[in-house]
Amino acid sequence: MRTRPVRADGLDLFVEAAGSPEHRKEVERYLESMFAAGSMRPEWCFVAEKEDRPLGRVAFWTLPGMEEPLAVVLLDVPWEDGDYVGVGTRLLGDVLNEARGLGAKEIEHVLDTPPMRPQFQHHPEKRVELLESLGFAFRRETARFEWRGGEPLAEPGGLSFRTLEEAGEDAFVDAMRRVSEGTLDREIREEREKLGPQRAAREFFEDARRVKHEPSWWRLAYSGREGDLVGLVMPAEPPAFLTVFYVGVVPEMRGRGYVDDLLAAGTATLLGARAEGEGEKPLRADTDVANAPMAAAFERAGWRRFAGRREYVVELASDPG
Ligand SMILES: CC(C)(COP(=O)(O)OP(=O)(O)OC[C@H]1O[C@@H](n2cnc3c(N)ncnc32)[C@H](O)[C@@H]1OP(=O)(O)O)[C@@H](O)C(=O)NCCC(=O)NCCS
């Protein structure tokens, strides 16, 4: 058995492993949109094969503009009737080495329940078993929310807004640092602890910047009377959906329902963008299951939980040993 990148002329082989024709269509569509956005590349799609027969496949994913992969997606090995452990260990082992060679420090893989397009992740227990045997560790569980239509809550009257362009980058990053204090989101908290609040905010901003958005979508909110900073909202448009990338309220303003105003403003921005664009992209957002105030705010604002996502991460030592 060997693992090899398929490159542009061999993508059929990669897609073929998706199973039913309907699944193949979904995978093709997903690859097209990811290639166009710069989140995936044909040479980042790998197959494991034996005597020219494909046994499994997996691909790298990253944020647009980054040279190193951040995650693996579209993982499939013979889950039902084959040596999924043997094939998966070899395939993932090889591509993790490849990721290390490309400069990746860690690689993530997410598992969505229930299985859904385009990954259709059936056999979750077997997937976890395989991931853990390769050194992946559970990091965070999120609830996935989707806008269910209708009118967004009324746009807030009591707040005034400044866009990223009006506020300036430094003020915006500083606001991101302030609203991230005391977050119940495990990933954001751990980044703050690891990098320090200022650097974590800057890196979060730089990551967000790689996701498509209009600068006018990102806004700081101030209280009407004194003009103190209340919080911020950052809508964005990844390839397959529209999202609230980040929303936050400064610690001294929490517990007054300001999140509802920010979410209403962000949702209205996304619906406006969707109305102007083609197609009917869904509005989706993830939040840590531990972030109960955030989840409750999504529900109040007309979003509904439609799935759960578990994130697994493997650290890649610089020396493969
Ligand atoms: C999540 C967040 C936006 C909620 O904003 P908010 O305007 O305070 O929300 P609410 O007013 O609805 O608060 C509801 C309750 O949760 C509490 N609460 C809010 N944030 C809290 C936090 N980080 N830690 C503990 N309790 C919190 C409030 O005090 C309030 O409690 P009460 O009902 O006893 O008064 C805010 O906590 C925040 O900015 N967190 C950091 C950034 C973040 O995690 N963003 C979401 C990531 S996607």
Side-chain angles (χ1 to χ4, degrees):
M1 198 191 107
R2 66 176 188 137
T3 303
R4 66 174 183 92
V6 291
R7 306 191 188 283
D9 58 354
L11 279 172
D12 288 355
L13 207 61
F14 183 88
V15 171
E16 211 177 285
S20 75
E22 181 218 332
H23 287 194
R24 284 179 217 164
K25 275 262 157 314
E26 293 291 350
V27 170
E28 273 170 7
R29 228 175 280 151
Y30 177 75
L31 288 177
E32 254 170 49
S33 68
M34 290 295 156
F35 291 160
S39 273
M40 293 175 74
R41 310 168 184 192
E43 66 273 23
W44 279 8
C45 298
F46 300 88
V47 288
E49 58 188 4
K50 194 173 185 180
E51 290 147 12
D52 291 338
R53 210 165 41 87
L55 294 176
R57 61 103 194 266
V58 71
F60 289 145
W61 178 96
T62 197
L63 286 170
M66 285 183 77
E67 288 304 314
E68 66 274 13
L70 289 176
V72 286
V73 293
L74 297 169
L75 169 65
D76 268 304
V77 290
W79 300 114
E80 266 165 44
D81 49 9
D83 177 16
Y84 69 91
V85 175
V87 176
T89 305
R90 177 69 193 271
L91 174 63
L92 277 176
D94 287 348
V95 301
L96 291 179
N97 268 334
E98 189 74 24
R100 188 184 288 113
L102 290 167
K105 301 277 182 291
E106 59 174 42
I107 288 288
E108 181 185 83
H109 185 60
V110 301
L111 268 182
D112 288 337
T113 319
M116 66 188 70
R117 68 167 79 130
Q119 303 205 69
F120 303 103
Q121 295 167 309
H122 295 283
H123 310 288
E125 298 83 12
K126 291 180 182 174
R127 287 173 183 273
V128 170
E129 176 197 349
L130 178 61
L131 290 171
E132 290 183 340
S133 76
L134 280 144
F136 281 82
F138 171 79
R139 176 165 68 189
R140 184 176 78 142
E141 183 172 355
T142 64
R144 315 205 69 203
F145 288 91
E146 187 165 65
W147 171 253
R148 282 291 155 88
E151 289 293 312
L153 295 179
E155 278 258 22
L159 295 179
S160 59
F161 287 96
R162 241 174 256 166
T163 65
L164 168 61
E165 285 159 318
E166 290 161 353
E169 211 174 289
D170 289 345
F172 207 92
V173 173
D174 199 56
M176 287 177 79
R177 174 186 63 77
R178 286 177 62 188
V179 303
S180 301
E181 188 185 329
T183 180
L184 299 171
D185 183 294
R186 186 164 158 182
E187 191 179 355
I188 299 171
R189 192 175 61 231
E190 285 178 0
E191 284 297 297
R192 272 176 73 91
E193 284 162 9
K194 198 166 83 187
L195 304 174
Q198 191 60 37
R199 230 184 100 204
R202 171 55 71 175
E203 292 206 359
F204 199 11
F205 179 76
E206 297 299 339
D207 282 351
R209 205 136 72 158
R210 294 177 187 279
V211 185
K212 190 176 155 196
H213 64 277
E214 298 289 335
S216 61
W217 292 0
W218 292 4
R219 294 194 281 172
L220 300 185
Y222 301 84
S223 68
R225 251 174 305 120
E226 290 89 17
D228 295 330
L229 180 69
V230 165
L232 55 81
V233 62
M234 300 168 73
E237 186 173 4
F241 55 99
L242 290 146
T243 194
V244 177
F245 190 90
Y246 196 38
V247 54
V249 172
V250 294
E252 59 275 24
M253 299 280 189
R254 288 184 190 152
R256 304 186 203 173
Y258 279 129
V259 66
D260 294 351
D261 299 335
L262 292 167
L263 216 43
T267 305
T269 300
L270 294 175
L271 292 174
R274 183 164 78 172
E276 278 178 22
E278 311 143 27
E280 277 292 284
K281 275 191 175 181
L283 271 57
R284 290 193 172 158
D286 279 88
T287 193
D288 191 326
V289 290
N291 203 344
M294 193 64 236
F298 272 118
E299 296 279 354
R300 285 196 302 273
W303 296 61
R304 295 286 168 268
R305 186 186 185 284
F306 72 98
R309 165 168 282 188
R310 279 174 290 160
E311 301 173 352
Y312 289 83
V313 183
V314 62
E315 306 281 340
L316 301 178
S318 51
D319 176 12

